[in-house]
Amino acid sequence: MRKQHLEQLKNASAGHNLIKAARLYNELMIKNLRATLGMDDIQAYHLNLFAHISLEGSTIVEIAEKVGISKQAVSKTISELVEMKVLQQKSHPTDKRSKIICFPEDGPFTLEKGLKFLGEQDKMLKKILGSSSFNLFSDSVAKVILELDKP
């Protein structure tokens, strides 16, 4: 009886469902990235950094602070992504000890290619939800992000 009650609470939680949906979507994106773009080495922990890298580029310290993990862990993951040519390091214009981490403008993986890939994946969500529900869902998620992403 208690297990059934907990399942009901869990299934009634929008937050729980959003987290579960994000996890399942992330797993599918990794599978599709591997198949579509031939990125066999890409892992979930790699993708977790992408949203924390600004369009202008970010330092390892900035990424680590946003993600909430150590600079060493971020540095190791960034090194793996640089080796895969998914990210690149540039000299910091004002701090010679620091590097700017950014998406390459050309090569096997660019931010534009990644965003186009996500756009293709949106078609799957649109098929699941239907066009009007997809638009409402997308707008709703954008509102949540806008509110929760405030400094």
Side-chain angles (χ1 to χ4, degrees):
M1 184 69 171
R2 178 159 166 73
K3 183 179 177 184
Q4 184 180 9
H5 174 69
L6 291 174
E7 284 293 329
Q8 288 173 338
L9 288 174
K10 185 173 74 172
N11 293 332
S13 168
H16 175 270
N17 289 333
L18 187 60
I19 291 166
K20 184 174 182 178
R23 178 184 56 79
L24 293 170
Y25 188 76
N26 202 40
E27 289 170 0
L28 181 62
M29 292 310 96
I30 292 166
K31 178 182 169 191
N32 290 347
L33 267 172
R34 288 176 181 156
T36 306
L37 300 179
M39 298 178 69
D40 297 334
D41 295 333
I42 201 82
Q43 302 294 327
Y45 67 91
H46 292 128
L47 298 183
N48 290 339
L49 296 185
F50 290 1
H52 303 287
I53 300 171
S54 75
L55 294 177
E56 302 80 32
S58 302
T59 66
I60 288 176
V61 171
E62 292 168 337
I63 298 166
E65 286 174 357
K66 289 178 182 177
V67 178
I69 60 176
S70 72
K71 291 182 287 188
Q72 292 80 6
V74 169
S75 183
K76 181 182 180 303
T77 303
I78 295 293
S79 292
E80 292 170 2
L81 289 164
V82 167
E83 190 173 307
M84 285 187 252
K85 299 189 182 343
V86 174
L87 294 176
Q88 68 183 76
Q89 293 183 22
K90 295 182 178 181
S91 297
H92 194 289
T94 59
D95 183 354
K96 298 301 175 202
R97 299 168 298 153
S98 185
K99 298 281 186 194
I100 298 291
I101 309 305
C102 56
F103 293 94
E105 293 180 20
D106 59 8
F109 185 88
T110 63
L111 183 56
E112 185 176 359
K113 283 182 185 176
L115 293 171
K116 284 181 180 179
F117 172 80
L118 286 175
E120 287 298 313
Q121 303 311 299
D122 282 353
K123 292 176 184 176
M124 176 210 42
L125 289 176
K126 196 176 278 190
K127 184 177 177 183
I128 292 170
L129 296 172
S131 217
S132 62
S133 291
F134 172 81
N135 292 336
L136 179 60
F137 170 75
S138 185
D139 291 346
S140 298
V141 170
K143 285 179 186 175
V144 169
I145 292 168
L146 186 64
E147 186 63 31
L148 296 180
D149 203 27
K150 290 180 180 174

